[in-house]
Amino acid sequence: MAQTPVLAEPQQAAEATRNNDGLEVLETREWLDSLDYVLSKGGPERAGRLLQQLSLHARRAAGVNLPFVATTPYQNTIPVRQQAPFPGSQDMERRIKSLVRWNAMAMVVRANKEENGIGGHISTYASAANLYEVAFNHFLRARTENGDRDIVYFQGHAAPGMYSRAFLEGRLPKEKLENFRRELKPGGGLSSYPHPWLMPDFWEFPTVSMGLGPIQSIYHARFIRYLENRGLKTSTGGKVWAFLGDGEMDEPESLGSITLASRERLDNLIWVINCNLQRLDGPVRGNGKIIQELEAIFRGAGWNVIKVIWGSDWDSLIQNDRDGLLVRRLGEITDGQYQKFFVESGAYFRQNLFGSDPRLLRMVEHLSDDQLSRLRLGGHDPIKVHAAYKSAMEHTGAPTLVLAKTIKGYGLGEAGEGKNITHQQKKLNDDELRMFRSRFGIPLSDEELHGAPFYRPADDSPEIRYMQERRKQLGGYMPERKVRSKPIKQVSESHFEEFYKGTEGREASTTMVFVRLLAKLLRDPEIGKLIVPIIPDEARTFGMEALFRQVGIYSSVGQLYEPVDMDTLLYYKEAKDGQILEEGITEAGSISSFIAAGTAYSNHGINTIPFFIYYSMFGFQRIGDLIWAAADMRTRGFLLGGTAGRTTLAGEGLQHQDGHSHVLALSVPNLLAYDPAFAFEIAVIIQEGIRRMYANQESIFYYLTVGNEPLPMPPMPDGSDVREGILKGLYLFKPTLKKDSKLRAQLFGSGAIMFEVLKAQEMLEKYGVAADVWSLPSYKELYRNGNDCDRWNMLHPQEPPKVPFVTQCLKDTQGVLVAASDYMKVLPESIAQWMPRPLISLGTDGFGRSEGRASLRDFFEVDAKHIVLATLHALARERKIESKTVNQAIKELGINPEKANPAIS
Ligand SMILES: Cc1ncc(C[n+]2csc(CCOP(=O)(O)OP(=O)(O)O)c2C)c(N)n1
Ligand SMILES: [Mg+2]
């Protein structure tokens, strides 16, 4: 028989060997033996090099192209022999874990007994308990040896487990646990999920809106590097941990920024994804394999991926699987089928998993059906999870992802273990409680079980002593939120003075004013270094390129190339200690940086002051949920909606012109929102913002809209009440000089539309109307104040009533009231109820258009001529003038009364 040319004709060779199965098996065995020899002599690295050379040789000699595979076989990444030994007492930690499990379950069951439908989750923590307990006992450091700390994002709806642990640690009294999800009970309760706003001493990160924890953890880890590279924090090896769900990975925010983490080599970041294969309704990937899918994605993105699939019970099976039959079979089975195995008997498991091949059946013949059904998964095995975390802690040069396979509702048995309904399971009957109790060995008798009582051993019990000792070793309890920074001193008045004077006729946009003020603040010896400018690729749009050179763009590696504009004054300067976070086109990433910088006062004891400037349309509308999370987290800083206003941003059209961010801003309780018209208003607001947030340490943040229309900035009017008026939202900017006129009006303007109002004031004189012009930089502040007064008055019927600020300001005024804004009409209307007479509100309801400013303002009916018309109309309504005068004005002003309504056209 002619010898088969093995390398020259691979296809023929494959054919020949396929015809001769025995030969292939023999040949494979010989190669494997040789490889084993190399492994034993030269170790894994030598073996790896050899395999690479083999593949290279095969490609060169015969064009053998190994198919690209992003995944590794369906087995643990860390082989048994490389597994770090488990340092603790497994028995003690199992007992503690059981106690945490019990009380977490009891908390939800009791809450729902007390108030049907109050909700809560049992099955999520049940599946993740081991992932947390190994971390709490061995890894999560409240304080590292070097004085740093680990930052931990806990999976939001695993909160009962964290409360339960805190109860055992003696940090939360039983009464609080009894009031889980009943925060309004006397003495307070526990919030359903992590909310720093509601539990400011406990929770740090609100994670329950899925996807927000993952992206924030990446930007937080990167921000820590930024602080270190800029010398604001010493590098002491703290890690950022994020515990996440496998279903949660479907959120775009979860995966959208993972390459930033690898690009920035964030080896201070560890993600643990609890792969219980289920989400709320059912399997995450019934017909696929979520662990393999995520492994491919993250390996492709450059992460270090550690799979923890099989527990120690599987070790010998997998080690004896010399030909890889078992691992191949395990890799064939879909997640949906695995879920079925979890709920079925050992016999079913044997028949359906191992029954596909007699050789597989032989591998498990020494195990009974019962033993087979109890083979533990990796995520439930402390030894495997510990080894994975340890390896993650030691990995350098890239972030680590731990993919841990678990069963959702682990331990719930018939009540929901592995079942599709498990996520919603909130009640356990007495039988189910008994089973749970027995499975986890909780020392409660059958009689005691009814009502699912909490159980905490005495302070000096071995379990409590052990867990206290472990936490002491790791620097204290977690989670815990503390304000770690000291207040800053008030910023020097000198930075702001220039803006009070105005621009003496020169035109400047409010964006330019803001950038100039920012440049000044950046030079301040006290706070300059604390400022964090954040921009999603719009610096040139906002005229901020001068800052590139002034303070540099942050880059963890400096600048490894010669910038193309090196010979210009304002070249694109990247530097390791660069101050600007030039985030690229990611508003979600930028707001995550904003949050990291705006919470550094508590997380790291550093008063960084973020200024995040972005296209206003891509703020509240696009990343509103992250802004909501920022509010919950007590983030401090300034959001700047640039190129703001439906008619001030010319040309860009429907997708870009923002006429509603101020309406959306109404919804965020601790956010102050301003639409300033003038340079001095911006100066006053920012000065006050820094004072309140960083000197007074208030848990508020600011939103300012700034426009790009060049306008002459006037000086600040005299009067001690102007500053107060700006901050409270209303002040008289330009009173009429014709006080004795019979026809009177009060006009209100803000933002860029203020200048249309000023024009209207002049035009109205021709119609004999004397109008006062008010600047109204914050509808939100006025709205809030009005509501506050009304509420107080309602609750205190016999006290002298409080008078809303709007009412106070307008009490001595005369004439009709007209407001014009570049935002929706509902904004002025929101405060009309506290005005002394009816208000006509002009606003920009509707879709924007690609057009110039004048046409846009005509189209949306917010320009000077429409303000004039509205004023005349209001006067006619009050019978101060005749309707024919209004008709005449419509003609004179060139208004087409039959034009389509912009609100719906
Ligand atoms: C943005 C968002 N959408 C929907 C929900 C409602 N929700 C809460 S938990 C959950 C399922 C979570 O599944 P997974 O991430 O796999 O976590 P597990 O409970 O399985 O650990 C859903 C849909 C939410 N909290 N956030
Ligand atoms: Mg899940």
Side-chain angles (χ1 to χ4, degrees):
M1 199 177 91
Q3 213 185 351
T4 314
V6 176
L7 292 175
E9 300 286 346
Q11 270 180 350
Q12 276 177 18
E15 203 113 300
T17 45
R18 219 175 291 130
N19 290 338
N20 191 348
D21 227 13
L23 180 63
E24 179 166 333
V25 170
L26 201 70
E27 198 177 57
T28 310
R29 177 60 44 85
E30 277 176 15
W31 278 76
L32 290 179
D33 286 344
S34 311
L35 188 67
D36 278 350
Y37 177 80
V38 175
L39 267 170
S40 68
K41 293 285 167 202
E45 277 183 22
R46 165 73 192 116
R49 284 200 302 278
L50 183 66
L51 288 171
Q52 265 177 349
Q53 258 181 318
L54 271 179
S55 124
L56 205 66
H57 182 76
R59 182 180 307 186
R60 277 209 201 117
V64 175
N65 252 331
L66 292 180
F68 169 74
V69 272
T71 52
T72 61
Y74 202 58
Q75 64 188 48
N76 295 345
T77 306
I78 302 175
V80 180
R81 62 185 178 301
Q82 282 175 18
Q83 216 170 264
F86 189 79
S89 158
Q90 258 180 277
D91 177 52
M92 187 58 75
E93 292 190 20
R94 189 187 55 76
R95 286 187 351 231
I96 296 166
K97 184 165 58 193
S98 297
L99 293 172
V100 186
R101 283 181 185 286
W102 174 265
N103 290 304
M105 177 277 296
M107 195 182 324
V108 179
V109 171
R110 290 174 69 97
N112 285 277
K113 270 198 174 145
E114 172 109 348
E115 172 106 2
N116 200 8
I118 200 81
H121 301 81
I122 301 175
S123 65
T124 296
Y125 179 73
S127 69
N130 186 56
L131 302 178
Y132 284 112
E133 278 304 298
V134 172
F136 275 126
N137 284 322
H138 302 282
F139 293 96
L140 306 181
R141 297 160 301 180
R143 196 176 161 81
T144 67
E145 314 75 61
N146 302 317
D148 207 355
R149 64 190 286 258
D150 289 341
I151 299 287
V152 188
Y153 289 77
F154 295 98
Q155 191 185 12
H157 58 290
M162 311 310 127
Y163 292 141
S164 170
R165 187 166 231 277
F167 165 64
L168 291 168
E169 289 166 343
R171 296 202 286 149
L172 287 178
K174 198 161 86 181
E175 295 68 45
K176 285 268 186 191
L177 266 65
E178 265 157 6
N179 290 341
F180 172 56
R181 291 191 166 227
R182 303 298 304 274
E183 297 183 85
L184 303 180
K185 283 252 181 157
L190 297 175
S191 60
S192 50
Y193 304 118
H195 293 301
W197 186 262
L198 302 171
M199 295 177 64
D201 303 326
F202 195 84
W203 294 117
E204 294 184 294
F205 309 109
T207 43
V208 83
S209 179
M210 320 234 115
L212 304 194
I215 190 170
Q216 286 185 62
S217 70
I218 293 176
Y219 280 86
H220 197 155
R222 203 274 301 251
F223 187 71
I224 290 172
R225 286 283 155 81
Y226 167 92
L227 290 175
E228 291 168 356
N229 279 323
R230 289 199 46 228
L232 292 170
K233 174 180 179 300
T234 42
S235 170
T236 45
K239 301 271 184 194
V240 175
W241 292 74
F243 290 87
L244 310 165
D246 48 357
E248 181 172 20
M249 287 301 115
D250 285 341
E251 288 286 0
E253 289 90 343
S254 299
L255 295 181
S257 297
I258 60 171
T259 52
L260 174 81
S262 41
R263 197 160 63 240
E264 292 288 308
R265 303 164 70 86
L266 298 179
D267 49 21
N268 59 345
L269 179 65
I270 299 171
W271 278 15
V272 181
I273 302 184
N274 178 15
C275 296
N276 53 25
L277 315 186
Q278 288 180 248
R279 43 182 165 75
L280 193 153
D281 284 340
V284 177
R285 291 290 183 275
N287 293 313
K289 282 237 250 304
I290 189 64
I291 292 181
Q292 298 300 88
E293 184 178 325
L294 293 173
E295 179 189 35
I297 294 168
F298 282 81
R299 285 186 80 206
W303 284 51
N304 170 42
V305 178
I306 304 175
K307 294 197 287 193
V308 187
I309 303 180
W310 309 112
S312 305
D313 302 343
W314 289 79
D315 283 350
S316 62
L317 286 177
I318 288 173
Q319 264 168 343
N320 293 333
D321 179 35
R322 280 280 292 158
D323 300 324
L325 270 180
L326 176 59
V327 170
R328 197 179 320 142
R329 176 72 185 132
L330 295 172
E332 283 165 7
I333 293 160
T334 60
D335 280 358
Q337 193 58 45
Y338 270 116
Q339 194 189 340
K340 177 82 172 154
F341 292 150
F342 301 155
V343 300
E344 282 292 344
S345 66
Y348 181 94
F349 192 29
R350 186 188 304 275
Q351 190 187 337
N352 289 281
L353 192 148
F354 300 93
S356 66
D357 189 318
R359 288 171 292 180
L360 290 174
L361 279 174
R362 272 200 299 281
M363 290 172 82
V364 291
E365 63 193 1
H366 63 291
L367 297 172
S368 69
D369 285 351
D370 191 42
Q371 286 172 315
L372 211 50
S373 72
R374 281 196 278 141
L375 289 176
R376 239 187 330 182
L377 294 180
H380 295 302
D381 183 342
I383 298 178
K384 298 289 179 195
V385 171
H386 174 271
Y389 289 174
K390 183 144 193 333
S391 168
M393 288 283 287
E394 288 164 3
H395 190 80
T396 54
T400 291
L401 169 66
V402 176
L403 291 166
K405 182 159 167 153
T406 66
I407 299 175
K408 192 147 175 169
Y410 188 70
L412 289 184
E414 282 306 304
E417 181 165 305
K419 295 186 178 168
N420 277 340
I421 49 89
T422 195
H423 190 89
Q424 304 293 76
Q425 182 59 281
K426 300 165 198 319
K427 292 178 183 167
L428 262 57
N429 62 32
D430 284 357
D431 281 347
E432 290 160 345
L433 284 175
R434 211 171 300 135
M435 201 224 72
F436 194 96
R437 179 272 329 257
S438 303
R439 177 156 180 183
F440 294 112
I442 308 298
L444 288 170
S445 68
D446 285 2
E447 293 67 46
E448 286 171 310
L449 277 184
H450 187 72
F454 295 121
Y455 176 73
R456 182 177 187 271
D459 280 343
D460 59 356
S461 63
E463 291 86 355
I464 301 294
R465 288 211 329 254
Y466 185 97
M467 74 193 296
Q468 298 286 24
E469 179 54 28
R470 291 310 311 149
R471 287 317 307 164
K472 210 168 128 199
Q473 287 295 319
L474 290 161
Y477 299 123
M478 294 172 96
E480 187 184 42
R481 184 181 176 280
K482 264 192 222 156
V483 172
R484 295 173 167 83
S485 69
K486 303 241 167 354
I488 64 168
K489 279 193 249 121
Q490 175 62 318
V491 189
S492 157
E493 177 74 19
S494 65
H495 301 308
F496 304 95
E497 274 161 1
E498 157 191 347
F499 303 97
Y500 302 151
K501 295 192 193 109
T503 49
E504 290 164 350
R506 275 175 291 115
E507 290 184 338
S509 69
T510 45
T511 306
M512 284 165 66
V513 169
F514 160 70
V515 174
R516 192 170 164 78
L517 175 58
L518 183 66
K520 287 188 141 198
L521 293 174
L522 280 161
R523 287 194 198 98
D524 184 274
E526 191 76 22
I527 66 154
K529 61 182 183 305
L530 295 173
I531 288 174
V532 183
I534 303 167
I535 314 152
D537 200 29
E538 294 287 353
R540 293 182 200 280
T541 314
F542 303 133
M544 293 175 78
E545 58 270 43
L547 296 183
F548 290 169
R549 184 65 197 279
Q550 184 186 330
V551 292
I553 295 163
Y554 172 71
S555 153
S556 58
V557 292
Q559 194 153 35
L560 306 176
Y561 60 96
E562 186 183 343
V564 66
D565 49 3
M566 187 71 179
D567 52 354
T568 65
L569 196 62
L570 306 178
Y571 78 91
Y572 198 83
K573 181 183 159 196
E574 297 196 63
K576 228 171 157 169
D577 62 352
Q579 197 160 353
I580 300 171
L581 286 172
E582 163 68 85
E583 297 292 18
I585 311 163
T586 166
E587 284 76 12
S590 304
I591 186 86
S592 299
S593 284
F594 175 80
I595 293 170
T599 52
Y601 71 93
S602 59
N603 293 324
H604 305 288
I606 303 166
N607 279 312
T608 35
I609 308 173
F611 286 86
F612 169 28
I613 180 160
Y614 54 88
Y615 242 116
S616 76
M617 192 65 158
F618 306 128
F620 282 86
Q621 171 160 294
R622 185 167 181 132
I623 47 163
D625 202 18
L626 279 154
I627 295 178
W628 185 254
D632 188 349
M633 243 177 287
R634 301 163 176 265
T635 305
R636 297 172 185 163
F638 296 92
L639 296 173
L640 289 120
T643 55
R646 187 97 77 204
T647 68
T648 303
L649 175 56
E652 292 288 341
L654 182 153
Q655 184 64 75
H656 287 69
Q657 290 158 344
D658 165 32
H660 49 277
S661 63
H662 275 288
V663 179
L664 300 174
L666 284 176
S667 64
V668 183
N670 52 346
L671 177 80
L672 286 84
Y674 290 91
D675 183 24
F678 306 128
F680 63 84
E681 291 181 356
I682 293 177
V684 168
I685 295 161
I686 289 183
Q687 186 182 26
E688 174 73 354
I690 295 175
R691 188 189 69 79
R692 286 186 63 183
M693 293 187 287
Y694 293 93
N696 267 19
Q697 300 214 298
E698 292 180 48
S699 290
I700 52 174
F701 63 133
Y702 282 71
Y703 176 51
L704 275 75
T705 37
V706 286
N708 60 356
E709 183 175 5
L711 293 160
M713 292 288 135
M716 182 148 94
D718 295 334
S720 56
D721 52 352
V722 172
R723 184 179 282 266
E724 184 197 352
I726 294 169
L727 297 171
K728 288 187 167 174
L730 180 64
Y731 65 95
L732 184 59
F733 174 68
K734 195 169 176 199
T736 179
L737 300 174
K738 305 193 168 8
K739 292 255 191 275
D740 47 358
S741 172
K742 275 210 206 81
L743 299 177
R744 295 297 303 267
Q746 305 299 320
L747 306 182
F748 306 93
S750 39
I753 298 301
M754 185 65 183
F755 288 82
E756 297 293 331
V757 174
L758 289 166
K759 256 187 259 167
Q761 182 187 34
E762 279 177 28
M763 286 161 74
L764 279 166
E765 284 183 13
K766 285 188 227 136
Y767 292 91
V769 182
D772 297 316
V773 172
W774 297 76
S775 180
L776 206 158
S778 181
Y779 282 101
K780 184 170 182 184
E781 282 305 287
L782 297 175
Y783 174 72
R784 218 166 14 192
N785 166 265
N787 268 317
D788 194 40
C789 293
D790 277 2
R791 175 181 174 275
W792 193 91
N793 295 343
M794 187 169 74
L795 293 169
H796 303 88
Q798 294 199 300
E799 314 259 346
K802 288 191 178 181
V803 183
F805 187 66
V806 184
T807 318
Q808 287 174 36
C809 290
L810 302 183
K811 69 175 189 311
D812 297 327
T813 61
Q814 297 166 25
V816 295
L817 311 176
V818 176
S821 132
D822 222 1
Y823 292 85
M824 293 174 69
K825 294 179 185 191
V826 70
L827 211 56
E829 278 159 9
S830 71
I831 59 161
Q833 56 187 309
W834 300 292
M835 291 189 163
R837 295 172 295 283
L839 174 74
I840 294 189
S841 168
L842 302 180
T844 59
D845 299 39
F847 286 126
R849 293 291 193 280
S850 312
E851 256 299 351
R853 288 189 187 106
S855 302
L856 284 167
R857 287 173 187 162
D858 173 52
F859 175 76
F860 280 107
E861 301 161 11
V862 291
D863 57 3
K865 60 182 185 294
H866 282 93
I867 299 167
V868 170
L869 172 59
T871 311
L872 297 177
H873 162 70
L875 288 165
R877 204 168 59 178
E878 299 202 348
R879 305 196 187 288
K880 296 265 169 30
I881 59 174
E882 289 187 43
S883 58
K884 69 173 187 222
T885 314
V886 186
N887 211 34
Q888 183 60 28
I890 288 177
K891 285 193 189 119
E892 284 167 13
L893 294 166
I895 292 170
N896 169 14
E898 305 314 324
K899 90 187 243 293
N901 185 349
I904 48 164
S905 63

PDB file of all heavy atoms in Angstrom, residues 246-247 274 276 278-279 284, ligand 2:
ATOM      1  N   ASP A 246     -26.366  37.088  33.636  1.00  0.00           N
ATOM      2  CA  ASP A 246     -26.133  36.702  32.235  1.00  0.00           C
ATOM      3  C   ASP A 246     -27.201  37.301  31.321  1.00  0.00           C
ATOM      4  O   ASP A 246     -26.915  37.707  30.199  1.00  0.00           O
ATOM      5  CB  ASP A 246     -26.033  35.170  32.066  1.00  0.00           C
ATOM      6  CG  ASP A 246     -27.155  34.401  32.751  1.00  0.00           C
ATOM      7  OD1 ASP A 246     -28.010  35.009  33.413  1.00  0.00           O
ATOM      8  OD2 ASP A 246     -27.157  33.152  32.629  1.00  0.00           O
ATOM      9  N   GLY A 247     -28.428  37.415  31.826  1.00  0.00           N
ATOM     10  CA  GLY A 247     -29.465  38.059  31.021  1.00  0.00           C
ATOM     11  C   GLY A 247     -29.143  39.533  30.815  1.00  0.00           C
ATOM     12  O   GLY A 247     -29.404  40.106  29.756  1.00  0.00           O
ATOM     13  N   ASN A 274     -22.864  35.885  36.723  1.00  0.00           N
ATOM     14  CA  ASN A 274     -23.539  34.700  37.233  1.00  0.00           C
ATOM     15  C   ASN A 274     -24.335  34.063  36.099  1.00  0.00           C
ATOM     16  O   ASN A 274     -25.421  34.524  35.758  1.00  0.00           O
ATOM     17  CB  ASN A 274     -24.452  35.123  38.391  1.00  0.00           C
ATOM     18  CG  ASN A 274     -25.228  33.945  38.938  1.00  0.00           C
ATOM     19  OD1 ASN A 274     -24.902  32.784  38.660  1.00  0.00           O
ATOM     20  ND2 ASN A 274     -26.251  34.226  39.718  1.00  0.00           N
ATOM     21  N   ASN A 276     -26.543  31.712  35.368  1.00  0.00           N
ATOM     22  CA  ASN A 276     -27.537  30.725  35.791  1.00  0.00           C
ATOM     23  C   ASN A 276     -28.431  30.337  34.609  1.00  0.00           C
ATOM     24  O   ASN A 276     -29.420  29.645  34.776  1.00  0.00           O
ATOM     25  CB  ASN A 276     -28.354  31.235  36.983  1.00  0.00           C
ATOM     26  CG  ASN A 276     -28.976  32.601  36.714  1.00  0.00           C
ATOM     27  OD1 ASN A 276     -29.214  32.972  35.564  1.00  0.00           O
ATOM     28  ND2 ASN A 276     -29.235  33.351  37.761  1.00  0.00           N
ATOM     29  N   GLN A 278     -30.585  31.688  33.070  1.00  0.00           N
ATOM     30  CA  GLN A 278     -31.962  32.186  33.029  1.00  0.00           C
ATOM     31  C   GLN A 278     -32.006  33.686  33.248  1.00  0.00           C
ATOM     32  O   GLN A 278     -31.145  34.252  33.922  1.00  0.00           O
ATOM     33  CB  GLN A 278     -32.788  31.522  34.137  1.00  0.00           C
ATOM     34  CG  GLN A 278     -33.098  30.064  33.872  1.00  0.00           C
ATOM     35  CD  GLN A 278     -33.917  29.480  35.013  1.00  0.00           C
ATOM     36  OE1 GLN A 278     -33.445  28.637  35.754  1.00  0.00           O
ATOM     37  NE2 GLN A 278     -35.163  29.935  35.150  1.00  0.00           N
ATOM     38  N   ARG A 279     -33.055  34.261  32.693  1.00  0.00           N
ATOM     39  CA  ARG A 279     -33.366  35.657  33.018  1.00  0.00           C
ATOM     40  C   ARG A 279     -34.745  35.659  33.661  1.00  0.00           C
ATOM     41  O   ARG A 279     -35.015  34.749  34.443  1.00  0.00           O
ATOM     42  CB  ARG A 279     -33.239  36.536  31.773  1.00  0.00           C
ATOM     43  CG  ARG A 279     -33.833  35.957  30.499  1.00  0.00           C
ATOM     44  CD  ARG A 279     -33.609  36.873  29.317  1.00  0.00           C
ATOM     45  NE  ARG A 279     -33.840  36.232  28.043  1.00  0.00           N
ATOM     46  CZ  ARG A 279     -35.023  35.938  27.532  1.00  0.00           C
ATOM     47  NH1 ARG A 279     -36.117  36.236  28.210  1.00  0.00           N
ATOM     48  NH2 ARG A 279     -35.146  35.355  26.352  1.00  0.00           N
ATOM     49  N   VAL A 284     -31.739  32.324  28.993  1.00  0.00           N
ATOM     50  CA  VAL A 284     -31.060  33.437  28.328  1.00  0.00           C
ATOM     51  C   VAL A 284     -30.736  33.035  26.886  1.00  0.00           C
ATOM     52  O   VAL A 284     -30.967  33.787  25.944  1.00  0.00           O
ATOM     53  CB  VAL A 284     -29.762  33.807  29.090  1.00  0.00           C
ATOM     54  CG1 VAL A 284     -29.002  34.912  28.361  1.00  0.00           C
ATOM     55  CG2 VAL A 284     -30.097  34.277  30.506  1.00  0.00           C
TER      56      VAL A 284
HETATM   57 MG    MG B   2     -29.513  34.957  34.826  1.00  0.00          MG
END
